Amino acid sequence: MCGARLSASAAAGSLTGADTEDGTGCLDAVLAEIDGKRFLAADVCAALTARECTPDLALRLLLRAITCASDAPLTAEQYTRLEAIGAAMQYGERIVDHVKYLVEQA
């Protein structure tokens, strides 16, 4: 829908670089991270894994859900995987870093 709207507007510029990234190449990794978060309600998991939701949006919403859940500590390994997915999606440093404070200290 966004693409159609932007293409109809003469003032809209072309998307380039990270703005074109929807995360399709990271779909399996994003789904695995969502599946591994047992604190998420079933309806939240269903919404995040719906095919209408891009992997980019699903990961961003997952990161938000992690910050909102009081019982959602992250292991260092989980955080490293989230960082790798974020890097593959060309996220800036502040997107995944937003949940770094939840990494369990060993």
Side-chain angles (χ1 to χ4, degrees):
M1 287 175 51
C2 291
R5 172 77 175 152
L6 289 173
S7 66
S9 174
S14 298
L15 297 178
T16 60
D19 293 331
T20 63
E21 181 61 57
D22 67 358
T24 302
C26 299
L27 176 62
D28 291 338
V30 171
L31 293 176
E33 290 303 317
I34 293 168
D35 186 52
K37 303 302 180 266
R38 300 291 177 221
F39 64 89
L40 293 173
D43 59 337
V44 174
C45 285
L48 292 178
T49 57
R51 297 299 178 192
E52 292 82 23
C53 185
T54 66
D56 171 52
L57 181 58
L59 182 61
R60 288 174 185 267
L61 292 173
L62 174 62
L63 292 169
R64 175 59 73 185
I66 289 170
T67 64
C68 293
S70 60
D71 59 343
L74 294 172
T75 66
E77 294 80 20
Q78 289 170 325
Y79 181 74
T80 299
R81 288 193 308 268
L82 290 171
E83 274 188 317
I85 297 168
M89 288 194 203
Q90 303 178 32
Y91 285 176
E93 64 183 75
R94 299 286 181 229
I95 303 296
V96 177
D97 284 359
H98 189 69
V99 298
K100 189 172 187 174
Y101 73 96
L102 293 169
V103 175
E104 295 175 319
Q105 302 301 316

